Each structure stands twice: as structure tokens, then as C-alpha cells.
């Protein structure tokens, strides 16, 4: 069954949805959209460095994404005007990655696969990496769920309850780097942030408690992955962007249903 | 033994001195009110006591295993975060449903359990925060400007409520008052802060202290108005603003 490229693509898409749903909810609640962007864009730089130094792409992406996420997180605690700084970092990381990739010797690199993903080309080992990453992120967030939620609600209340908000931020930073590394192959650096934010935003209208929102974000992300693949298969559209288009359609739908 | 004590605490943000050699202790069961002008370091002192800020000098000591109920000044919940009152009361730890029912009854928030926290009014939010603080069976309640946004009868009712709580739970109360001139008469002590402790004592002692008058003399001709217990006669002295109800 795993020999069918569509089945592998579906499994990969669902794996990303599982990893991105709960984390994406925190990204939405904490208004960290740009944070996700900057980290995802840094992945391109990770790809370039991995190719130059001949290490696995996932490892290179993970390390650079981790460095970027840590740096941005540290900046956020300094309380500077974050908007412009994050914008600069995010775009600088992307541009630097594109420049660095041009230095990669040998075979020409298929850049669009890294920018927009290549979900139809995932192999069995890719699926293992994606589901391993998803399991790791889910376990991490499930373990820290209550303190994370309290720190998101109010750092004051968290500290008064004996929770260290810095540690909870570190958990999110780690999780974000892992999600970026595993989602790169599926939706590409430009659309990873979309997989974090769009399903979670769509889930908001359906939820009365945080746990429900995280659950619906996973469900909507998985449905979008399958729907996008179907759209890609039937209409010969690019798969990664199709997934995001379907997710955006579901956001529109849930928002309209709620307004009614 | 004091529940919490600050010894010679100093704090500065950059070159700005916020707290200078502040010492205080809160004993079991007493009500202490902190007053001071805007920017006098009241909120910073609360944050030092609750452990949110580490002082530059001096130290804060808590009774071991102190059960601290903390009511923050305000809590703005992002609309993107779905959160019912009931779920909020169960953060970060699940609470016994019976304890939640008692705290809800005590603070008058029955019926709000399924409402979204982001949709609550200021007064409802305040009571929900108080209910959450009560769930730890606090030995010490710390409240940062709890009556902000309440009108005068609301403020008086809140103070009576706190006093009843203290009597029924036996907990100490440390409260920051946003109103320099109105302090609950049930306060055992009033501490007047202007970066340093400029005077402290019973409400009457502070009212008559020259330091207090020097700081706050202009507002009500230097009088520290105390909420007494004759609340039935209390309705005459606040102004109603009917303008807002006019329909164009």
C-alpha cells in the first residue's frame, strides 16, 4: 500500500497536520504568526548549508530553524518593537538562503521543491521522519499543555502559580523548529506558516475550549491535506499550494457558519 | 511567622529607581492596603512579592508552601483563544468540582461557567479572577487594584465582600488600591508607597501622617476617606452621570 505515491503523500500530509494543529493553535493565541514565518524561511538557509556540507537536509533545516527560533524568541523577550525586526529577519533569512543555494556545487538544485514542497515525491523514509517529528511535537506539547496554556493566558498568573514562562517559550521554540524541519518536504518553506495558522484559525469558530481548537486544527489540517491532494490529482495543480487553498476555503466556511 | 516578608528590597529599571529599600511583612489574617501615586512602584512591589520580578537588592521570603491566591490587575484574553470560565478556573490544575461550586457561589459567578472569558464584563472578570484565586484555599490573597473600573457602590460592596472572605477563610489580604483617598476601613494597616515606604499604620494613623498629606494633600483636602460600616447611608455622596443615557 505504501508503494502508492498518493497513499504516501496522504500519510505525509496527515502527519504534518497532526504536528501543526496544536502548535499552530499556540501560534495563533500568542500572535506569533511572523515568528513562524521567520523560522520557516530560515529553513531555506538550512537546506543550502546542508547541501554545501553534505549533511542530511532535515538535520540542516532543524539546526538552522532552531537557531532562528531561539534568536527570535530571545528578541521577543527583550520587548523591542518586534514587527519590523521580525520582518527584516524573516525576509533576510529567505534571501540569504536563496543566495547560499546558488553556491551549492554539482547538480542543479530543484529550488521549487524546497519553496513549495514536493509531497508527491515523499518516500518511506520521509514518512518515518514526518511521523517521528509529529509524535515528538505532540508528546512535547501534551506534556506541557497546562503550563503552556497558563503562560499563554497570562505570564503574571503563570508565575504566581509557580510556572516559568521562559521554559514554556522554549518548549514552543523547540516544537516550531521540529515542525518546520518535517513540513519542509510537504508544503515548502513559503507555506509552512500557512499550515500552522490556517487550520488553527479555521478551528477557532468551532471551539469553546482550547483543547477543542487544537483537535479541530488537526482534523481540518488533515482534511485539507487530503482535499488538496485530490485537487492536485484531478486538476493537475501543485500539491502544496492546493493543500493551503483547501485549508483557506475551510477557514472561510467555518467563519461564515459562525457568523450566521 | 510572617506569611511573606520583603527585606530592604530595591529595584530599578535602567536608571529609574522604582523601589528603594522597601521592607514589609504580612501576618496571617491581616488586611493590608497599599496606596501610592501613579508610578510610585505599587505594581512592581506586587510583582516582587509574587515572584514575577527579582529585586536588584534585598530579598523576599515566603513561608514555606505558602498558598498564595493572586488576582492580577487585569487580564486581557485574546479573542482567538476559546476559553470558558469553567476551563479557566481549572488552569493550571484541575480542581474539585465541589470546590469550584463553592468559589463560584462565594463570588457570585454562578451561571457564568459556560460563558467565554473574553466576553465577560470588567466586573464579572474581576469576580472570576477572585474565584480562581480562592480555589487554592489561600493563606494570602494578593490583589492588584481590584476595584479599578468599579463604581463607588461596587467598590464598597467589593470591600465588604473581601472583609467577609477574610473572616470566613481566615486568609490575609494584601491589596493595592488605585484610589489614594478611599481605603477600606477594615484595613488593619495602610502602607503608603512612593518608591520607598513613606508611612504606614492603621488607616487613621496614615490619614493624619504629614507624609501622607504632603503626597496626596490636594485631592480631598488631605482627607483619607474610609469606608465605614454605615453603608445604608452611603448613597448620597456619589455623582450620577445621566448624560450617557440620553438618546439623541
Amino acid at each position: 500500500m505504501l508503494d502508492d505515491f498518493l497513499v504516501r503523500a496522504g500519510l505525509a500530509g496527515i502527519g504534518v497536520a497532526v504536528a501543526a494543529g496544536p502548535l499552530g493553535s499556540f501560534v495563533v493565541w500568542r500572535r506569533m504568526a511572523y515568528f513562524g514565518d521567520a523560522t520557516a524561511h530560515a529553513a531555506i538557509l538550512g537546506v543550502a548549508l546542508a547541501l554545501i556540507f553534505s549533511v542530511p537536509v532535515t538535520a540542516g533545516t532543524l539546526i538552522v530553524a532552531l537557531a532562528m527560533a531561539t534568536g527570535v524568541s530571545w528578541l521577543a523577550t527583550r520587548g523591542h518593537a518586534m514587527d519590523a525586526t521580525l520582518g527584516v529577519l524573516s525576509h533576510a533569512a529567505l534571501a540569504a538562503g536563496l543566495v547560499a543555494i546558488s553556491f551549492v556545487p554539482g547538480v542543479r538544485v530543484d529550488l521549487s521543491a524546497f519553496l513549495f514542497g514536493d509531497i508527491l515525491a515523499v518516500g518511506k523514509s520521509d514518512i518515518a521522519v514526518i511521523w517521528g517529528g509529529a509524535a515528538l511535537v505532540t508528546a512535547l506539547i501534551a506534556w506541557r499543555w497546562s503550563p503552556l496554556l497558563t503562560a499563554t493566558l497570562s505570564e503574571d498568573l503563570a508565575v504566581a502559580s509557580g510556572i516559568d514562562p521562559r521554559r514554556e517559550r522554549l518548549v514552543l521554540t523547540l516544537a516550531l523548529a521540529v515542525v518546520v524541519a518535517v513540513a519542509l518536504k510537504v508544503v515548502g518553506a513559503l507555506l509552512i506558516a500557512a499550515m500552522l495558522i490556517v487550520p488553527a484559525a479555521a478551528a477557532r469558530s468551532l471551539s469553546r475550549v482550547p483543547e477543542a481548537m487544537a483537535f479541530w486544527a488537526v482534523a481540518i489540517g488533515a482534511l485539507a491535506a487530503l482535499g488538496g491532494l485530490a485537487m492536485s490529482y484531478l486538476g493537475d495543480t501543485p500539491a502544496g499550494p492546493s493543500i493551503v487553498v483547501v485549508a483557506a476555503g475551510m477557514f472561510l466556511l467555518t467563519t461564515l457558519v459562525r457568523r450566521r | 511567622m510572617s506569611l511573606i516578608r520583603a527585606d530592604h528590597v530595591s529595584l530599578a529599571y535602567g536608571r529609574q529607581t522604582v523601589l528603594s529599600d522597601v521592607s514589609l511583612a504580612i501576618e496571617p489574617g491581616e488586611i493590608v492596603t497599599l496606596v501610592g501615586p501613579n508610578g510610585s512602584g505599587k505594581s512592581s512591589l506586587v510583582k516582587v512579592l509574587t515572584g514575577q520580578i527579582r529585586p536588584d537588592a534585598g530579598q523576599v521570603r515566603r513561608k514555606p508552601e505558602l498558598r498564595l491566591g493572586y488576582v492580577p490587575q487585569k487580564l486581557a484574553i485574546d479573542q482567538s483563544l476559546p476559553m470558558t470560565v469553567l476551563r479557566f478556573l481549572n488552569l493550571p490544575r484541575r480542581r474539585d468540582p465541589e470546590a469550584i461550586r463553592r468559589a463560584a457561589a462565594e463570588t457570585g459567578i454562578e451561571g457564568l461557567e459556560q460563558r467565554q472569558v473574553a466576553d465577560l464584563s470588567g466586573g464579572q472578570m474581576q469576580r472570576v479572577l477572585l474565584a480562581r484565586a480562592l480555589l487554592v484555599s489561600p493563606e494570602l490573597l494578593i490583589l492588584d487594584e481590584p476595584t479599578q473600573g468599579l463604581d463607588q457602590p461596587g467598590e464598597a460592596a467589593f470591600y465588604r465582600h473581601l472583609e467577609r472572605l477574610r473572616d470566613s477563610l481566615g486568609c490575609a489580604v494584601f491589596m493595592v488600591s488605585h484610589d489614594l483617598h478611599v481605603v477600606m476601613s477594615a484595613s488593619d494597616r495602610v502602607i503608603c508607597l512612593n518608591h520607598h515606604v513613606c508611612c504606614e499604620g492603621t488607616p487613621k494613623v496614615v490619614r493624619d501622617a504629614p507624609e501622607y498629606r504632603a503626597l496626596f494633600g490636594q485631592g480631598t483636602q488631605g482627607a483619607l476617606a474610609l469606608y465605614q460600616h454605615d453603608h445604608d447611608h452611603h448613597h448620597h455622596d456619589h455623582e450620577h452621570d445621566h448624560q450617557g443615557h440620553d438618546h439623541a
Side-chain angles (χ1 to χ4, degrees):
Chain A
M1 187 182 78
L2 284 177
D3 293 333
D4 188 325
F5 76 97
L6 265 184
V7 172
R8 289 197 303 271
L11 284 175
I14 293 172
V16 168
V18 167
L23 178 62
S25 300
F26 278 104
V27 168
V28 168
W29 297 333
R30 293 181 160 234
R31 300 178 172 240
M32 287 167 39
Y34 239 126
F35 187 75
D37 251 348
T39 308
H41 287 175
I44 289 294
L45 189 58
V47 169
L49 294 176
L51 292 175
I52 289 169
F53 294 108
S54 304
V55 295
V57 168
T58 304
T61 318
L62 188 62
I63 290 166
V64 176
L66 201 54
M68 183 62 143
T70 311
V72 168
S73 177
W74 177 76
L75 272 177
T77 59
R78 310 270 300 171
H80 287 303
M82 281 302 291
D83 203 44
T85 314
L86 274 178
V88 170
L89 273 174
S90 166
H91 297 299
L94 182 61
L98 294 174
V99 169
I101 266 187
S102 73
F103 289 118
V104 175
V107 285
R108 230 179 88 253
V109 179
D110 179 11
L111 199 55
S112 78
F114 294 114
L115 289 176
F116 302 111
D118 198 4
I119 188 173
L120 298 178
V122 295
K124 288 176 189 169
S125 62
D126 292 321
I127 291 182
V129 168
I130 290 168
W131 276 92
L136 184 69
V137 168
T138 307
L140 190 63
I141 291 186
W143 172 50
R144 302 305 304 166
W145 182 261
S146 264
L148 263 174
L149 205 51
T150 310
T152 298
L153 203 62
S154 156
E155 299 213 337
D156 290 1
L157 280 185
V159 172
S161 306
I163 295 164
D164 183 353
R166 285 169 306 181
R167 195 168 72 170
E168 307 312 324
R169 256 198 305 272
L170 183 66
V171 168
L172 287 183
T173 305
L174 282 172
L176 185 62
V178 173
V179 167
V180 165
V182 303
L184 184 68
K185 182 93 180 184
V186 175
V187 285
L190 292 183
L191 293 174
I192 289 173
M195 278 310 277
L196 284 170
I197 291 159
V198 180
R204 171 64 184 97
S205 310
L206 306 175
S207 316
R208 294 179 44 76
V209 289
E211 291 76 13
M213 182 157 150
F215 169 80
W216 283 114
V218 171
I220 288 171
L223 272 177
L226 298 180
L229 281 174
M231 181 172 153
S232 169
Y233 186 70
L234 299 173
D236 199 22
T237 54
S242 301
I243 292 172
V244 176
V245 165
V246 173
M250 295 173 84
F251 169 75
L252 201 63
L253 204 67
T254 57
T255 311
L256 288 178
V257 166
R258 181 146 194 240
R259 291 276 152 78
R260 221 153 43 94
Chain B
M1 181 189 180
S2 305
L3 296 175
I4 199 166
R5 66 180 304 135
D7 286 315
H8 305 289
V9 162
S10 294
L11 179 71
Y13 295 136
R15 263 189 252 161
Q16 180 122 32
T17 301
V18 181
L19 297 174
S20 161
D21 197 26
V22 172
S23 296
L24 62 88
I26 300 168
E27 306 302 327
E30 69 171 347
I31 297 183
V32 179
T33 300
L34 184 69
V35 297
N38 283 335
S40 60
K42 299 190 297 287
S43 283
S44 295
L45 181 54
V46 167
K47 287 184 172 164
V48 166
L49 290 177
T50 57
Q52 295 166 54
I53 302 180
R54 189 186 289 272
D56 298 326
Q59 58 173 321
V60 174
R61 267 176 299 184
R62 293 182 185 191
K63 179 189 160 221
E65 305 291 306
L66 174 70
R67 293 191 307 276
L68 172 68
Y70 170 57
V71 179
Q73 191 170 0
K74 56 180 183 297
L75 184 68
I77 287 200
D78 201 280
Q79 275 289 350
S80 68
L81 178 58
M83 180 74 74
T84 58
V85 169
L86 188 62
R87 183 70 189 89
F88 176 67
L89 293 175
N90 279 296
L91 268 181
R93 271 171 282 282
R94 292 253 165 227
R95 301 290 178 191
D96 173 31
E98 184 50 39
I100 289 183
R101 258 192 299 279
R102 272 201 309 274
E106 183 65 66
T107 53
I109 57 165
E110 304 112 313
L112 295 181
E113 288 90 342
Q114 295 304 324
R115 290 272 297 277
Q116 287 289 307
V117 174
D119 295 339
L120 298 179
S121 73
Q124 288 170 332
M125 186 71 219
Q126 200 52 251
R127 280 180 284 156
V128 168
L129 286 169
L130 182 59
R132 184 179 174 280
L134 294 182
L135 285 172
V136 301
S137 317
E139 295 163 275
L140 171 61
L141 259 183
I142 294 187
L143 307 100
D144 194 355
E145 306 203 5
T147 59
Q148 205 178 37
L150 299 182
D151 56 9
Q152 276 194 353
E155 190 173 358
F158 186 82
Y159 286 154
R160 285 200 300 277
H161 186 188
L162 264 189
E163 200 181 338
R164 278 202 311 275
L165 275 181
R166 190 268 304 259
D167 294 342
S168 60
L169 300 175
C171 63
V173 175
F174 181 72
M175 175 173 53
V176 175
S177 172
H178 75 287
D179 192 330
L180 303 176
H181 304 289
V182 183
V183 162
M184 100 194 252
S185 60
S187 299
D188 297 299
R189 276 190 299 145
V190 175
I191 296 175
C192 172
L193 187 78
N194 191 22
H195 304 299
H196 62 285
V197 174
C198 52
C199 55
E200 72 169 296
T202 64
K204 288 202 168 81
V205 166
V206 168
R207 179 182 61 188
D208 298 332
E211 295 88 348
Y212 174 85
R213 300 213 159 202
L215 259 183
F216 308 131
Q218 301 312 311
T220 43
Q221 286 80 48
L224 179 65
L226 302 177
Y227 273 119
Q228 303 293 352
H229 267 283
D230 53 335
H231 297 291
D232 294 338
H233 310 290
H234 200 75
H235 305 288
H236 54 88
D237 60 357
H238 56 264
E239 297 163 20
H240 287 286
D241 181 6
H242 293 289
Q243 301 293 88
H245 302 296
D246 284 347
H247 293 280

